[in-house]
Amino acid sequence: FELLPAGTVAYRANLFSAVLVALALATLTWTAIRLGVRPAIAACAAAATGAVATVWAAATVAGTDALHLLLMALLVDRALAWADRSRPADLALCGLLTGLALGNHAATLLVVPFLALFALWSGRQAVADQPLLLFLPIVTLVAGLTVYAYLPIAARLDPPLAFADASTLDGLLSL
């Protein structure tokens, strides 16, 4: 969105937030349909969710909340998919989405333990049959957390606006 030839950088960043929230609401619709809700009702519920003040605010202002909302919606969807089919790919995606979400917003720590317990309980038979499945989300979680590796690199490039000096370990931990 930074490279779009329209508007200011701020406008494009706000547009990106709106697209992320729209994708999150589309994911919410898909998840509701997966749970057996009729498509029209699922779409209306997602539209009503989009009208909630906090969701609307995330869609209209550039920030971390829009991406967090999308990542959480995708994470819930993949956890439900794992519960339905016990496909290793869904479990791997849960790990990757968790790592990316942890790199985006600390509130992920409030959601992920419950989703992990849900995934373990709903897939207990698959995990009992193949205990090594538990390593799959751990590996992809670490892959998702590599977004933190970019912070010290970016901090050394002398950014025009730095929230904290992430070029040192203390600075990185203070983020």
Side-chain angles (χ1 to χ4, degrees):
F1 279 79
E2 184 180 314
L3 300 177
L4 285 176
T8 64
V9 173
Y11 170 78
R12 294 188 301 257
N14 291 339
L15 181 62
F16 184 59
S17 289
V19 169
L20 291 175
V21 170
L23 289 171
L25 294 174
T27 303
L28 173 64
T29 303
W30 174 252
T31 303
I33 292 168
R34 173 192 302 282
L35 292 172
V37 176
R38 288 187 293 209
I41 294 173
C44 287
T49 302
V52 172
T54 53
V55 176
W56 187 266
T60 57
V61 177
T64 61
D65 294 337
L67 179 58
H68 180 68
L69 187 63
L70 174 60
L71 291 171
M72 290 298 99
L74 289 170
L75 189 55
V76 167
D77 183 66
R78 291 298 88 202
L80 288 170
W82 162 254
D84 283 346
R85 296 184 300 257
S86 297
R87 290 185 330 167
D90 293 323
L91 197 58
L93 275 171
C94 282
L96 179 64
L97 289 167
T98 299
L100 293 172
L102 286 169
N104 177 62
H105 206 293
T108 303
L109 291 171
L110 300 173
V111 177
V112 167
F114 298 103
L115 287 176
L117 286 173
F118 172 76
L120 283 172
W121 180 257
S122 62
R124 62 188 179 279
Q125 185 61 47
V127 171
D129 293 342
Q130 296 177 316
L132 291 178
L133 275 177
L134 291 177
F135 289 106
L136 190 57
I138 294 170
V139 169
T140 56
L141 170 79
V142 171
L145 286 172
T146 58
V147 296
Y148 280 109
Y150 174 71
L151 294 176
I153 296 167
R156 292 197 184 274
L157 297 176
D158 195 28
L161 179 64
F163 179 74
D165 182 18
S167 63
T168 66
L169 182 59
D170 288 337
L172 185 62
L173 293 176
S174 72
L175 291 175

